[in-house]
């Protein structure tokens, strides 16, 4: 399928006067979580809440900071998530994508709102 990127706005909802950070995130259906580099954590002054052990693509394990909350915005969608601090780019996994009702469109290699629900995010709660 190739790489799929999307422009997101990340904000610290605990510090409303702090400007959001605009990023190009890699939408990664295999990553699960929101992952941010350390410089984004610093820019948004995100507090470390905990540490989580993660398994990397090569099978190795690493203990990384878990920060948040992070407010995410994409087009007309908004969501909140915790973030793992690692890597050198923002990774958007399926947990925050599901929360905002976003989909990956393989044909165009784009991230977008669900075409079935373009005006408001939908979720299953049963």
């Amino acid at each position: 399928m190739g790489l799929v990127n999307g422009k997101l706005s990340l904000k610290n909802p605990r510090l409303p006067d702090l400007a959001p950070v605009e990023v190009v995130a890699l939408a990664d259906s295999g990553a699960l979580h929101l992952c941010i580099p350390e410089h984004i954590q610093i820019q948004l002054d995100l507090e470390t809440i905990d540490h989580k052990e993660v398994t990397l693509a090569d099978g190795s394990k690493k203990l990384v900071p878990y920060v948040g909350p992070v407010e995410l915005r994409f087009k007309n969608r908004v969501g909140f998530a915790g973030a793992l601090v690692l890597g050198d780019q923002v990774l958007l996994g399926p947990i925050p994508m599901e929360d905002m009702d976003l989909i990956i469109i393989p044909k165009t290699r784009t991230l977008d709102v669900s075409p079935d629900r373009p005006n408001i995010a939908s979720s299953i709660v049963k």
Side-chain angles (χ1 to χ4, degrees):
M1 173 170 57
L3 300 177
V4 176
N5 293 294
K7 291 183 181 180
L8 295 175
S9 174
L10 305 178
K11 185 169 176 57
N12 183 339
R14 291 182 174 165
L15 300 173
D17 294 334
L18 191 63
V21 175
E22 306 296 322
V23 299
V24 175
L26 175 63
D28 185 350
S29 60
L32 292 182
H33 300 280
L34 173 66
C35 301
I36 61 172
E38 185 179 23
H39 70 91
I40 299 290
Q41 176 193 9
I42 292 167
Q43 282 180 279
L44 293 176
D45 196 15
L46 293 166
E47 177 183 346
T48 299
I49 300 165
D50 200 0
H51 287 81
K52 293 192 182 227
E53 184 179 64
V54 298
T55 303
L56 303 175
D58 66 0
S60 65
K61 295 187 183 297
K62 183 176 182 179
L63 197 62
V64 299
Y66 183 69
V67 302
V70 180
E71 179 182 312
L72 302 96
R73 291 187 178 268
F74 178 85
K75 294 189 177 181
N76 64 342
R77 301 293 207 250
V78 64
F80 294 89
L84 299 170
V85 180
L86 74 155
D88 60 359
Q89 72 178 115
V90 175
L91 228 61
L92 183 67
I95 294 173
M97 281 193 280
E98 284 287 329
D99 184 45
M100 294 189 294
D101 200 13
L102 303 179
I103 62 166
I104 294 173
I105 303 171
K107 184 177 182 179
T108 58
R109 289 193 221 164
T110 56
L111 179 69
D112 209 347
V113 299
S114 174
D116 297 334
R117 299 166 297 278
N119 298 317
I120 189 164
S122 179
S123 187
I124 298 171
V125 294
K126 60 179 180 176

